[in-house]
DNA sequence: CAAATTATTTGACACGACGTCAAGAATATG
DNA sequence: CATATTCTTGACGTCGTGTCAAATAATTTG
């Protein structure tokens, strides 16, 4: 066996950086190959296709991101935890120059329309899985907060609502690029969820 | 002058149908030309580029959609109006088979990353403009509701929150395709906004 | 230590997409 | 009836994805 001339993980990082900045459809394997100092054919040999390469790169990102979220949601009052959650979310959307937006949201909207369209379906599941796991983290945080008397609504509904707002923030980020606005919306969402009538 | 052999508006409708179903990047001018029974070159002659054709088709859609929203927001109690607003929004996302999702949200996430990237910037403005106009409609509705004592929060903040939720719904629609879930989230959002503490 | 094995690399190819251009076709105008 | 003007048509260049066979280089085996 001949050993590979490039580092698998390096390529994954380089590829995801491009996917994040330009989207999957907007990134060519030639771009990635040039950036990684690898021949295009080698990428096909190692990963199979652009979509498969993206999936691997995305899973990497998703794992890292979940860990960071878990950390943000792990300390302080419920309000502090939710604030840290939105902070991390928005900071993530606004990272890079120019800001790269949310890769999950972009990926979801880049999907083809057909129901079972090859790897599209696999990608959809990867995106949906991250969103679900984030929702679960938020719900757990709210449930814990409820046990401590900091929240008295429905944790599942509230978590879904909060995650829906973060997806909306990802979209508004692309529309206006106004980070202060995003933070205002986030603060308002926290108020709505925590100051609910009867709370 | 030689007369055009196709109807300008027909092509716009046919083109937007494809853009809506498959996204701008996922739709080729060959697709549109075939569907419209027009030569590809004629489209370039008449519209200039794919992006320009999309922009015209999108403006058409945006105008129609705004009118429909205005109608939905125009009658009944504030709660009824907001319910009709979310109803129309979700129904729009779920129209077609398979459901086509939200063209504005998809368009926004399909934009290139570079700040001033040719027509991308024009498209971004078109998307942002529709979102802004929707926000204004919702805000007016909330203000009117406030004058009638049906709402006592900040109309601007609440309108922005509601529109953010609709953008989030567009994303979740792609992730899960679960219309019942979308309607639950919408109902919860209305409750949060209208039942705010002190309301 | 030499040689066969085996995966990786490399370059050529087919195909489809965008956009441009010059040449042909059809109407309106003088 | 001829001319000018616009639309249409088909060919071209470039770039994207994905495939394939041939060349290459290390490891494993004898």
């Amino acid at each position: 066996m001949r050993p590979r001339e490039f580092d698998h993980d390096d390529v994954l990082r380089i590829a995801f950086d491009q996917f994040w900045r330009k989207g999957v459809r907007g990134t060519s394997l030639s771009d990635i190959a040039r950036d990684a100092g690898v021949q295009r054919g080698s990428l096909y040999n190692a990963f199979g296709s652009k979509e498969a390469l993206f999936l691997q790169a995305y899973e990497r990102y998703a794992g890292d991101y979940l860990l960071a979220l878990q950390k943000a949601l792990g300390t302080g009052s419920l309000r502090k935890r939710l604030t840290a959650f939105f902070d991390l979310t928005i900071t993530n959307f606004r990272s890079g120059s120019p800001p790269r937006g949310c890769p999950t949201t972009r990926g979801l909207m880049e999907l083809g329309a057909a129901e079972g369209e090859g790897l599209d379906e696999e990608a959809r599941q990867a995106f949906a899985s991250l969103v679900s796991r984030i929702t679960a983290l938020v719900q757990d945080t709210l449930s814990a907060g409820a046990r401590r008397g900091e929240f008295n609504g429905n944790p599942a509904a509230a978590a879904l609502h909060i995650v829906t707002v973060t997806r909306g923030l990802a979209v508004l980020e692309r529309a206006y690029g106004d980070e202060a606005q995003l933070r205002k919306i986030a603060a308002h969402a926290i108020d709505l969820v925590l100051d609910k009538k009867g709370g």
Side-chain angles (χ1 to χ4, degrees), chain A:
Chain A
M1 329 228 247
R2 177 176 175 179
R4 213 154 261 168
E5 290 179 3
F6 58 89
D7 185 85
H8 200 264
D9 266 26
D10 282 353
V11 170
L12 249 42
R13 278 189 300 99
I14 291 169
F16 192 71
D17 177 65
Q18 303 237 10
F19 286 136
W20 197 350
R21 286 192 281 113
K22 303 182 294 188
V24 177
R25 287 215 164 101
T27 302
S28 76
L29 280 196
S30 306
D31 291 343
I32 296 170
R34 194 180 325 113
D35 237 55
V38 173
Q39 212 72 15
R40 204 167 55 88
S42 296
L43 295 180
Y44 278 100
N45 176 58
F47 299 98
S49 70
K50 186 163 87 159
E51 308 269 347
L53 169 56
F54 170 75
L55 275 175
Q56 286 194 41
Y58 181 75
E59 295 292 359
R60 239 189 104 74
Y61 160 82
D64 289 356
Y65 188 58
L66 263 179
L67 279 179
L69 276 185
Q70 208 156 4
K71 206 170 169 186
L73 280 166
T75 33
S77 65
L78 179 54
R79 179 167 231 112
K80 245 193 165 62
R81 288 170 196 237
L82 292 181
T83 301
F85 167 78
F86 275 110
D87 256 23
L88 181 59
T89 302
I90 293 172
T91 299
N92 192 46
F93 296 169
R94 297 293 293 169
S95 69
S97 54
R100 293 167 291 186
C102 172
T104 300
T105 303
R106 181 180 230 150
L108 276 167
M109 305 308 294
E110 265 186 325
L111 292 174
E115 287 293 342
E117 202 173 90
L119 279 175
D120 258 9
E121 178 54 22
E122 229 172 308
R124 207 213 86 241
Q125 276 180 18
F127 299 136
S129 163
L130 179 57
V131 174
S132 296
R133 285 195 259 176
I134 293 173
T135 307
L137 284 182
V138 173
Q139 181 173 338
D140 289 350
T141 304
L142 289 172
S143 295
R147 281 194 294 276
R148 280 186 266 121
E150 298 179 90
F151 172 70
N152 73 342
N154 178 345
L160 201 47
H161 184 262
I162 286 173
V163 168
T164 302
V165 170
T166 65
R167 299 304 96 194
L169 292 178
V171 178
L172 290 200
E173 193 276 329
R174 293 287 98 178
Y176 301 119
D178 181 346
E179 186 166 334
Q181 182 193 46
L182 302 182
R183 299 199 178 272
K184 264 189 228 164
I185 297 172
H188 186 72
I190 295 175
D191 285 347
L192 277 187
V193 168
L194 294 186
D195 300 348
K196 195 172 187 290
K197 200 175 193 169

